[in-house]
Tab-separated table of all heavy atoms in Angstrom:
chain	number	residue	atom	x	y	z
A	1067	ARG	N	3.868	-9.658	-3.609
A	1067	ARG	CA	4.001	-9.514	-2.155
A	1067	ARG	C	4.620	-8.161	-1.832
A	1067	ARG	O	5.601	-7.756	-2.467
A	1067	ARG	CB	4.840	-10.659	-1.581
A	1067	ARG	CG	4.209	-12.019	-1.779
A	1067	ARG	CD	5.021	-13.120	-1.108
A	1067	ARG	NE	6.354	-13.250	-1.680
A	1067	ARG	CZ	6.630	-13.970	-2.759
A	1067	ARG	NH1	5.647	-14.607	-3.396
A	1067	ARG	NH2	7.860	-14.052	-3.208
A	1068	PHE	N	4.060	-7.514	-0.833
A	1068	PHE	CA	4.498	-6.174	-0.440
A	1068	PHE	C	4.946	-6.195	1.018
A	1068	PHE	O	4.276	-6.796	1.874
A	1068	PHE	CB	3.362	-5.150	-0.602
A	1068	PHE	CG	2.842	-5.047	-2.013
A	1068	PHE	CD1	1.816	-5.871	-2.456
A	1068	PHE	CD2	3.380	-4.141	-2.897
A	1068	PHE	CE1	1.341	-5.789	-3.738
A	1068	PHE	CE2	2.905	-4.044	-4.195
A	1068	PHE	CZ	1.877	-4.867	-4.619
A	1069	SER	N	6.074	-5.548	1.270
A	1069	SER	CA	6.582	-5.389	2.630
A	1069	SER	C	6.702	-3.896	2.916
A	1069	SER	O	7.453	-3.177	2.233
A	1069	SER	CB	7.942	-6.081	2.774
A	1069	SER	OG	8.457	-5.900	4.070
A	1070	LEU	N	5.955	-3.416	3.895
A	1070	LEU	CA	5.918	-1.984	4.214
A	1070	LEU	C	6.911	-1.666	5.326
A	1070	LEU	O	7.194	-2.504	6.197
A	1070	LEU	CB	4.512	-1.579	4.651
A	1070	LEU	CG	3.341	-2.068	3.782
A	1070	LEU	CD1	2.027	-1.497	4.304
A	1070	LEU	CD2	3.552	-1.707	2.335
A	1071	SER	N	7.420	-0.452	5.294
A	1071	SER	CA	8.322	0.008	6.335
A	1071	SER	C	8.143	1.513	6.524
A	1071	SER	O	7.742	2.228	5.594
A	1071	SER	CB	9.779	-0.309	5.987
A	1071	SER	OG	10.169	0.346	4.791
A	1072	ASP	N	8.461	1.958	7.750
A	1072	ASP	CA	8.361	3.388	8.062
A	1072	ASP	C	9.497	3.742	9.013
A	1072	ASP	O	9.696	3.059	10.036
A	1072	ASP	CB	7.009	3.707	8.714
A	1072	ASP	CG	6.742	5.202	8.776
A	1072	ASP	OD1	7.563	5.917	9.374
A	1072	ASP	OD2	5.728	5.643	8.210
A	1073	PRO	N	10.271	4.767	8.684
A	1073	PRO	CA	11.369	5.155	9.582
A	1073	PRO	C	10.910	5.512	10.990
A	1073	PRO	O	11.690	5.408	11.940
A	1073	PRO	CB	11.984	6.361	8.878
A	1073	PRO	CG	11.571	6.237	7.454
A	1073	PRO	CD	10.226	5.594	7.483
A	1074	ASN	N	9.672	5.931	11.108
A	1074	ASN	CA	9.153	6.311	12.415
A	1074	ASN	C	8.472	5.157	13.144
A	1074	ASN	O	7.871	5.366	14.188
A	1074	ASN	CB	8.152	7.468	12.259
A	1074	ASN	CG	8.764	8.637	11.511
A	1074	ASN	OD1	8.458	8.859	10.350
A	1074	ASN	ND2	9.663	9.358	12.166
A	1075	GLY	N	8.543	3.978	12.563
A	1075	GLY	CA	7.931	2.829	13.197
A	1075	GLY	C	6.759	2.300	12.392
A	1075	GLY	O	6.113	3.033	11.631
A	1076	GLU	N	6.496	1.016	12.567
A	1076	GLU	CA	5.414	0.380	11.814
A	1076	GLU	C	4.051	0.958	12.177
A	1076	GLU	O	3.139	0.970	11.344
A	1076	GLU	CB	5.423	-1.122	12.081
A	1076	GLU	CG	6.685	-1.819	11.607
A	1076	GLU	CD	6.681	-3.294	11.920
A	1076	GLU	OE1	5.730	-3.737	12.603
A	1076	GLU	OE2	7.597	-4.006	11.488
A	1077	ASP	N	3.904	1.457	13.414
A	1077	ASP	CA	2.603	1.995	13.826
A	1077	ASP	C	2.251	3.261	13.083
A	1077	ASP	O	1.082	3.685	13.093
A	1077	ASP	CB	2.603	2.264	15.333
A	1077	ASP	CG	2.767	0.983	16.130
A	1077	ASP	OD1	2.466	-0.081	15.557
A	1077	ASP	OD2	3.208	1.051	17.287
A	1078	ASP	N	3.249	3.879	12.446
A	1078	ASP	CA	2.985	5.133	11.749
A	1078	ASP	C	2.341	4.901	10.376
A	1078	ASP	O	1.839	5.836	9.763
A	1078	ASP	CB	4.287	5.917	11.593
A	1078	ASP	CG	4.037	7.377	11.251
A	1078	ASP	OD1	3.116	7.982	11.827
A	1078	ASP	OD2	4.753	7.913	10.376
A	1079	VAL	N	2.356	3.668	9.888
A	1079	VAL	CA	1.725	3.368	8.596
A	1079	VAL	C	0.213	3.328	8.788
A	1079	VAL	O	-0.298	2.622	9.658
A	1079	VAL	CB	2.227	2.023	8.044
A	1079	VAL	CG1	1.514	1.694	6.733
A	1079	VAL	CG2	3.734	2.068	7.819
A	1080	SER	N	-0.480	4.108	7.979
A	1080	SER	CA	-1.938	4.181	8.132
A	1080	SER	C	-2.693	3.529	6.984
A	1080	SER	O	-3.721	2.888	7.194
A	1080	SER	CB	-2.384	5.642	8.255
A	1080	SER	OG	-2.061	6.351	7.055
A	1081	THR	N	-2.211	3.654	5.745
A	1081	THR	CA	-2.977	3.184	4.583
A	1081	THR	C	-2.041	2.589	3.547
A	1081	THR	O	-0.959	3.124	3.292
A	1081	THR	CB	-3.760	4.334	3.933
A	1081	THR	OG1	-4.558	4.979	4.915
A	1081	THR	CG2	-4.651	3.816	2.811
A	1082	PHE	N	-2.508	1.497	2.969
A	1082	PHE	CA	-1.835	0.919	1.808
A	1082	PHE	C	-2.914	0.469	0.832
A	1082	PHE	O	-3.868	-0.228	1.203
A	1082	PHE	CB	-0.956	-0.275	2.199
A	1082	PHE	CG	-0.229	-0.880	1.028
A	1082	PHE	CD1	0.822	-0.213	0.432
A	1082	PHE	CD2	-0.604	-2.110	0.510
A	1082	PHE	CE1	1.500	-0.766	-0.655
A	1082	PHE	CE2	0.054	-2.673	-0.568
A	1082	PHE	CZ	1.116	-1.990	-1.154
A	1083	GLY	N	-2.803	0.889	-0.427
A	1083	GLY	CA	-3.815	0.548	-1.424
A	1083	GLY	C	-3.283	0.720	-2.828
A	1083	GLY	O	-2.076	0.860	-3.057
A	1084	PHE	N	-4.188	0.710	-3.801
A	1084	PHE	CA	-3.780	0.862	-5.198
A	1084	PHE	C	-4.892	1.549	-5.977
A	1084	PHE	O	-6.070	1.543	-5.573
A	1084	PHE	CB	-3.450	-0.488	-5.835
A	1084	PHE	CG	-4.636	-1.388	-6.052
A	1084	PHE	CD1	-5.366	-1.355	-7.240
A	1084	PHE	CD2	-5.029	-2.293	-5.065
A	1084	PHE	CE1	-6.459	-2.183	-7.430
A	1084	PHE	CE2	-6.117	-3.125	-5.257
A	1084	PHE	CZ	-6.830	-3.074	-6.444
A	1085	VAL	N	-4.484	2.144	-7.098
A	1085	VAL	CA	-5.408	2.787	-8.045
A	1085	VAL	C	-5.107	2.194	-9.417
A	1085	VAL	O	-3.964	2.249	-9.881
A	1085	VAL	CB	-5.237	4.312	-8.060
A	1085	VAL	CG1	-6.157	4.925	-9.109
A	1085	VAL	CG2	-5.514	4.897	-6.688
A	1086	SER	N	-6.137	1.636	-10.053
A	1086	SER	CA	-5.953	0.981	-11.337
A	1086	SER	C	-6.620	1.773	-12.456
A	1086	SER	O	-7.714	2.332	-12.277
A	1086	SER	CB	-6.540	-0.441	-11.294
A	1086	SER	OG	-6.498	-1.045	-12.574
A	1087	GLU	N	-5.952	1.827	-13.602
A	1087	GLU	CA	-6.549	2.450	-14.779
A	1087	GLU	C	-7.696	1.595	-15.318
A	1087	GLU	O	-8.605	2.139	-15.955
A	1087	GLU	CB	-5.494	2.630	-15.870
A	1087	GLU	CG	-4.409	3.631	-15.521
A	1087	GLU	CD	-3.372	3.762	-16.618
A	1087	GLU	OE1	-3.378	2.926	-17.552
A	1087	GLU	OE2	-2.560	4.698	-16.558
A	1088	ASN	N	-7.646	0.324	-15.083
A	1088	ASN	CA	-8.709	-0.579	-15.520
A	1088	ASN	C	-9.638	-0.836	-14.339
A	1088	ASN	O	-9.212	-1.361	-13.302
A	1088	ASN	CB	-8.110	-1.898	-16.033
A	1088	ASN	CG	-9.134	-2.756	-16.746
A	1088	ASN	OD1	-10.125	-3.169	-16.155
A	1088	ASN	ND2	-8.902	-3.031	-18.027
A	1089	LYS	N	-10.886	-0.488	-14.503
A	1089	LYS	CA	-11.850	-0.599	-13.397
A	1089	LYS	C	-12.284	-2.040	-13.128
A	1089	LYS	O	-12.984	-2.283	-12.139
A	1089	LYS	CB	-13.083	0.265	-13.700
A	1089	LYS	CG	-12.760	1.737	-13.947
A	1089	LYS	CD	-11.964	2.340	-12.782
A	1089	LYS	CE	-11.617	3.793	-13.048
A	1089	LYS	NZ	-10.797	4.373	-11.938
A	1090	ASN	N	-11.882	-2.976	-13.983
A	1090	ASN	CA	-12.269	-4.369	-13.770
A	1090	ASN	C	-11.366	-5.100	-12.786
A	1090	ASN	O	-11.590	-6.268	-12.492
A	1090	ASN	CB	-12.271	-5.125	-15.106
A	1090	ASN	CG	-13.371	-4.633	-16.036
A	1090	ASN	OD1	-14.457	-4.274	-15.578
A	1090	ASN	ND2	-13.093	-4.604	-17.329
A	1091	VAL	N	-10.330	-4.409	-12.309
A	1091	VAL	CA	-9.465	-5.013	-11.299
A	1091	VAL	C	-10.138	-4.827	-9.938
A	1091	VAL	O	-10.340	-3.699	-9.493
A	1091	VAL	CB	-8.067	-4.379	-11.301
A	1091	VAL	CG1	-7.189	-5.027	-10.234
A	1091	VAL	CG2	-7.430	-4.513	-12.675
């Protein structure tokens, strides 16, 4: 579970994602 935060406000968050070394994920 991930909880995002931004000092400038939640509206300032644009992208959340991941990059995996294993392409099967």
Side-chain angles (χ1 to χ4, degrees):
R1067 297 184 297 275
F1068 301 89
S1069 178
L1070 313 184
S1071 61
D1072 192 302
N1074 306 105
E1076 297 178 354
D1077 296 338
D1078 197 41
V1079 177
S1080 63
T1081 306
F1082 181 72
F1084 69 90
V1085 177
S1086 174
E1087 293 179 349
N1088 191 299
K1089 303 305 179 182
N1090 293 325
V1091 180

